[in-house]
Amino acid sequence: MGERRGVLLGSDGPGRPYAMVSFPTEGPAAEPAFRTRTGDLALPRRPGARPRNIVVILTDDHRFDAMGFMAAQDFVETPTLDRIAREGAHFRNAFVTTALCSPSRATIFTGLYAHQHRVVDNYHPIAPGLVFFPEYLQAAGYETAFIGKWHMGLEGDDPQPGFDHWVSFRGQGDYWPNGDGLNVDGERVPQDGYLTDQLNRFALDWLESRTREKPFLLFLAHKAVHAEFYPAPRHEGRYADRTFRYPETMAPGAPDRPMWVENQRNSWHGVDFAYHDGVDIGDYYKRYMETFLSVDEGVADILAHLEERGELDDTLVLYMGDNGFMFGEHGLIDKRTAYEESMRIPMIARCPALFDGGAVVDEVVANLDVAPWLLGVAGLEPPGWMEGRDLAPLLRGERAEWRDSLLYEYYWERNFPHTPTVHAVREDRYKYIHFHGVWDIDELYDLQEDPLESRNLIFSPGHEGIVERMNRKLFAMLEATGGLQIPLPVDEGERYMLRNAATPDMAAFPSVLLKLLAR
C-alpha cells in the first residue's frame, strides 16, 4: 500500500458525525469514492455530428478584463484575442470554481468541482481514478497533444493519460532556462530560450507534422502570465510610460470589509507588502501586459497556420485563463478569493462552422463546462458524472435552461495562511461569500448596483432574506455534490507568513460583533 497523502475531515450530511478519511496513492483502495474510470472510455456518439478539430489555449492568471476590446486600461493590446472575440464569441460572464492553478486545471480536464476531483492546492498529487476528457477524445479516434504547463498537484512533468504527444516542464517552470529543461514525450530536452516562444514553436511544429487523417486536439497551456512577470526582450518597457488606473476599491478602511481582507493588505498577497517587497501595482500590471504580448503573437501564428491549411473555420479555437488576478482591488493582489477579479476569467472562442461571429454569451459559464462542451464538439455525449454543461446551445442563441447560480470554493492553505476557506454562490445579481474557520463577517454584494463589490450588504436592513436564501442554497449545492467536507492535506511547500513590522496595525474587529456589557 502506498503512502497516504490526502486527508479529509467531513460529514455525510446534517446531524451526521464527522470522520477522518484518507486515500492511499497506490493500490486497489486508491480509487476516489466518485469513481470515474471504468476501463471503457468509449462514449456514445451524437447522431449526425461531425467531429471538429479543437485548439485550446490556456494562460495563467490572465484576468477577465485584460484584453484590448475590454478597454479596462487604455494601453492594453491583444489584437489576436480581439479578433477571436470579434469573429467568434465572448463569454462575458465566465468564471472558475476555484481561483487557483492546479484546482482550476483539474476542473477544466474533468468537469468536476475541486471537492470532487480533490486537487485542492498546488502541492499534492492527483487522486487516483480521475479521467481527463482528452482520454475520451483519444478513444474516439482523435490525435491529441499537450504542450506547456501541466502543474496539477505535483512538481513532475511526466506524460499524462490522454495525449499522444507531450511537452511540459517541472512545476511552474521559468520564462528563461533554469537547467531543468523540458519533457518531450518522456525525454529531457533543453529549454533553449524564452519559454512562451518555445512553447509556441512546439505547437506549430506539431500542427505542421499532422497528416490530417484524424481530427485533433491541441492543448497549449502557457506559463504566462504567471508572476514574476518577465516580458520577452522585444516587448520589455513597451508600457513603461503609460498611465495605469488604480482600482477604486484599493483604499483601506472600506465599511464592513471583513477583518481578514483588511489585514491581508500587509502580507505576501497585499498591496502594502506585496511579495514581501515594495512592488508598485501599476508598474507590476504594465509588466504583466508586456509579458502577455508574446502569447498573443503565438495565437496569431496558430490562426495563420490553420488558415493557410484551410482548417481555421472548421476548428474550434478556445482561449481562456485558469483564474483571474487582482491588481489592488480590495487592497489585494493574486487570486484565491471570490471577488470578481479573482474568479472571473477571459474566455473567447471561434468556429464559424459551429456558431456565428460577434456573439456575446451573457449566461454564467465556468471552467466546469469546458470538458462536456468539447466532448460535444467532438460529437460525443458527455458522461453523466460531469458537473459541467455543454455550452453549444448558448453559442447557437437557443433559449436553453441554464444554471441560475455558480458554486465557488477555495480551501485554506498553510502556505498562504492569510486567506481563509471561502465558499460562495454567484448569481446574476447577488453574490454571497461565506468564510470557514475565521472569526469574521461574511459578505453579500448586489452586482447590479455595485459591480465593484465595494458595499458589503451582509448586515444591511432589507437583505436578511437574501442572505438566508443564499446560505441555504450554498449548503444545498455542497451537499448535492458531495462537498460537505474540508480537505486537510499534509503540509507541503514553502510558507509565506510574514508581515511588515513597519506597519504593525491590525484591522479593527467588526463593530457588528462587539457588545458593550451593561454596568
Side-chain angles (χ1 to χ4, degrees), residues 54-77:
I54 301 170
V55 173
V56 180
I57 301 161
L58 177 69
T59 49
D60 200 309
D61 291 354
H62 189 192
R63 54 184 278 153
F64 78 99
D65 60 359
M67 296 183 286
F69 71 92
M70 294 292 288
Q73 299 285 342
D74 295 338
F75 54 85
V76 170
E77 299 170 288

Side-chain angles (χ1 to χ4, degrees), residues 99-160:
L100 188 61
C101 294
S102 295
S104 178
R105 289 158 193 267
T107 294
I108 290 169
F109 279 109
T110 64
L112 296 171
Y113 289 105
H115 66 259
Q116 294 172 317
H117 59 60
R118 299 181 183 175
V119 180
V120 296
D121 63 17
N122 290 340
Y123 296 100
H124 292 83
I126 300 167
L130 282 182
V131 63
F132 308 129
F133 81 84
E135 295 180 71
Y136 291 121
L137 297 185
Q138 199 177 44
Y142 268 69
E143 189 175 4
T144 60
F146 180 88
I147 296 172
K149 178 179 176 178
W150 180 252
H151 188 54
M152 197 185 301
L154 288 175
E155 292 298 299
D157 55 12
D158 293 333
Q160 295 294 318

Side-chain angles (χ1 to χ4, degrees), residues 266-297:
N266 183 358
S267 77
W268 181 264
H269 288 153
V271 294
D272 295 337
F273 199 29
Y275 302 124
H276 296 165
D277 201 353
V279 173
D280 178 85
I281 299 303
D283 291 341
Y284 205 52
Y285 183 91
K286 294 174 190 178
R287 288 184 63 82
Y288 172 79
M289 291 314 307
E290 290 171 356
T291 303
F292 187 79
L293 290 169
S294 55
V295 174
D296 195 83
E297 291 174 350

Side-chain angles (χ1 to χ4, degrees), residues 14 18 407 423 425 432 434-436 442 468-486:
Y18 283 77
L407 173 66
H423 288 96
V425 174
Y432 170 65
H434 180 276
F435 304 111
H436 181 91
D442 293 333
E468 183 180 355
R469 173 182 65 79
M470 296 189 75
N471 178 273
R472 288 198 306 269
K473 178 184 280 191
L474 170 63
F475 282 95
M477 295 172 78
L478 286 169
E479 185 170 24
T481 58
L484 292 180
Q485 56 190 13
I486 299 295

